[in-house]
Amino acid sequence: SFGTGVNSSVKRILVIFLAFMLFGAIATYAQSADELNKLRVAQALEQAGEYGKALNFFMQLHEADPDNFVYFDGLRRVYMNLKEYGSAAALIRSRLALDSRNISLYCELGDAYFEGNFPDSAMDAWNEALKTDPKNPSTYQAVATVMAQNRLFGKAIEVYKKGE
C-alpha cells in the first residue's frame, strides 16, 4: 500500500512538473514570436522611412532585452534618423558602460556628438577609440572612416598618418 502511494505521488509531481515545463516553453516561444514580429514591423517601418513609428517598436524591444545588439542598433539608427542625437549618444554611452573596449561604439558616439553639433565631444569620443587599441591598424581605419563620413577629411588624414 505504501509503495503505490509513493508511486502515485511521484507520478503526480512528475505530471505537474512536465505541465509547468510545457507551459514555460509555450510562453517562451510566444514571447520570442512576439519579439520577432515586433522586430519585423520595426525594420519595415524603418525601411519605409517611418522613423517615429519604428522608434516605438525598437524602444519596446530594447526595454525587453537591453543586451540584444540588434535591438540596440535599430534604436540607435532610428534616433540618428530622427536627429535625436542626444538620445542616440545616451543610448551609446549606456552600451559603452557594458562594453568599454568597443571601438565601433566610440566611433558611433563621436558621430552622434558631431551630428548633434558637439564637435569637441565627438573628437573626445574618437580619441578614446584610438586609445582603446592603439596598436591595431583597423582602429585608425574605423575612426578615420567615420571622420571622413562627417566630411572631416583633414582630421581623417591625420588619423591615417598616426596609424602608419
Side-chain angles (χ1 to χ4, degrees), residues 8-70:
S8 169
S9 295
V10 169
K11 285 181 184 176
R12 198 171 314 129
I13 290 170
L14 184 60
V15 167
I16 291 170
F17 175 75
L18 290 174
F20 277 122
M21 293 296 290
L22 179 63
F23 289 128
I26 290 170
T28 300
Y29 174 76
Q31 183 180 6
S32 297
D34 183 49
E35 284 184 13
L36 185 58
N37 286 336
K38 281 183 182 176
L39 177 61
R40 287 180 180 153
V41 169
Q43 289 171 332
L45 288 168
E46 182 184 9
Q47 288 287 322
E50 297 285 338
Y51 303 118
K53 292 177 183 175
L55 177 64
N56 294 326
F57 285 97
F58 278 121
M59 286 178 82
Q60 289 174 24
L61 290 164
H62 183 67
E63 286 175 19
D65 188 359
D67 294 333
N68 187 310
F69 187 81
V70 172

Side-chain angles (χ1 to χ4, degrees), residues 6 17 42 77 79 99-100 119 122 141 153:
V6 170
F17 175 75
R77 283 191 316 270
Y79 278 143
D99 188 6
S100 64
Q141 183 175 5
F153 301 115

